[in-house]
Amino acid sequence: MATNITWHPGLTRRERNQFRKQRGCTVWFTGLSASGKSTIATALEQHLLHLGLATYRLDGDNVRFGLNKDLGFSERDRNENIRRIGEVAKLFADSSTIALTSFISPYRADRNIARQMHAEIKQPGDDPLPFIEVFVDLPLEVAEKRDPKGLYKKAREGVIKEFTGISAPYEAPENPEIHIRSDKLSPEEAVVEIVRYLEERNLLKVNV
């Protein structure tokens, strides 16, 4: 742990939002593998970009090619994976960008830590960063039938160890801001639900 470091203040979040004419926030997708998280997040990213908003999607697999390539899938590594993503998402949101994260993030404690990161205020004039948890809910048996990567099959065969929903737990959100049943809504319908929520909270205004 580094101790000889000092936080260097800059623009407040409010000032940065005013200059960029946009509010930053994090939309955190969580759910089982094959629940549709990445599909919905990608569709939402495209919609927000078409609205002229700065947004960026952080995907679970993609991040493991670079930032988190040193991490495996043990509980400890999963914890660290989500901690790092929470920090990166916070930086994007602090820059007045809408950060979209698509990770299984199976443990409530880890997701709560990510939420708390966004609530931190580093300097006077800062506002807490909005953190919107989206639970992409799908029954396990339906996820297994989808299984586009063949991961559930390998997990059932014991080829993949510590697989969420099979040999490792998934702790569903208790009070997510948005609850999507992806076996009942299409990705497009899910995007409509999320956009409605963001609009109601004035998070999609180009001028702030």
Side-chain angles (χ1 to χ4, degrees):
M1 296 288 289
T3 56
N4 57 333
I5 57 175
T6 303
W7 179 265
H8 288 270
L11 292 175
T12 65
R13 289 171 186 160
R14 190 171 301 171
E15 290 172 324
R16 190 175 290 107
N17 290 345
Q18 289 173 344
F19 282 123
R20 294 201 66 191
K21 303 185 186 308
Q22 179 180 327
R23 290 183 67 190
C25 67
T26 290
V27 182
W28 188 284
F29 292 87
T30 178
L32 292 171
S33 179
S35 62
K37 300 182 301 299
S38 293
T39 301
I40 296 170
T42 299
L44 178 61
E45 181 184 36
Q46 292 174 338
H47 179 77
L48 296 178
L49 287 170
H50 287 154
L51 293 178
L53 295 164
T55 184
Y56 192 81
R57 178 177 56 90
L58 297 163
D59 183 81
D61 281 354
N62 294 354
V63 168
R64 284 183 177 271
F65 277 98
L67 177 67
N68 292 348
K69 67 188 303 180
D70 60 318
L71 300 176
F73 290 91
S74 67
E75 182 174 347
R76 182 174 181 178
D77 280 0
R78 287 174 184 266
N79 297 155
E80 176 60 13
N81 183 54
I82 297 306
R83 188 196 68 80
R84 292 184 193 179
I85 294 310
E87 292 284 3
V88 172
K90 182 181 73 172
L91 291 173
F92 271 101
D94 192 41
S95 75
S96 302
T97 297
I98 299 173
L100 311 177
T101 73
S102 177
F103 294 79
I104 293 173
S105 48
Y107 302 114
R108 290 190 195 103
D110 292 340
R111 298 193 301 267
N112 287 338
I113 288 171
R115 182 185 293 275
Q116 185 57 40
M117 288 178 188
H118 286 67
E120 293 174 355
I121 295 177
K122 292 291 187 181
Q123 61 190 47
D126 275 355
D127 295 320
L129 289 164
F131 182 93
I132 299 97
E133 187 176 43
V134 181
F135 178 26
V136 184
D137 189 3
L138 186 72
L140 177 61
E141 59 272 18
V142 180
E144 287 199 66
K145 287 179 182 177
R146 289 183 178 181
D147 202 14
K149 303 175 185 177
L151 300 178
Y152 283 101
K153 183 175 184 295
K154 291 180 180 179
R156 290 292 187 188
E157 293 171 348
V159 176
I160 300 178
K161 309 296 183 182
E162 301 296 326
F163 189 77
T164 303
I166 304 297
S167 50
Y170 177 76
E171 299 173 357
E174 296 177 329
N175 295 293
E177 278 74 15
I178 303 173
H179 188 165
I180 299 292
R181 279 293 301 264
S182 58
D183 58 333
K184 298 182 181 298
L185 295 179
S186 69
E188 294 74 20
E189 291 169 330
V191 167
V192 169
E193 289 288 319
I194 297 166
V195 167
R196 181 182 298 120
Y197 181 94
L198 297 176
E199 287 177 336
E200 288 173 353
R201 283 147 186 84
N202 297 318
L203 291 174
L204 297 186
K205 286 188 175 181
V206 175
N207 295 303
V208 297

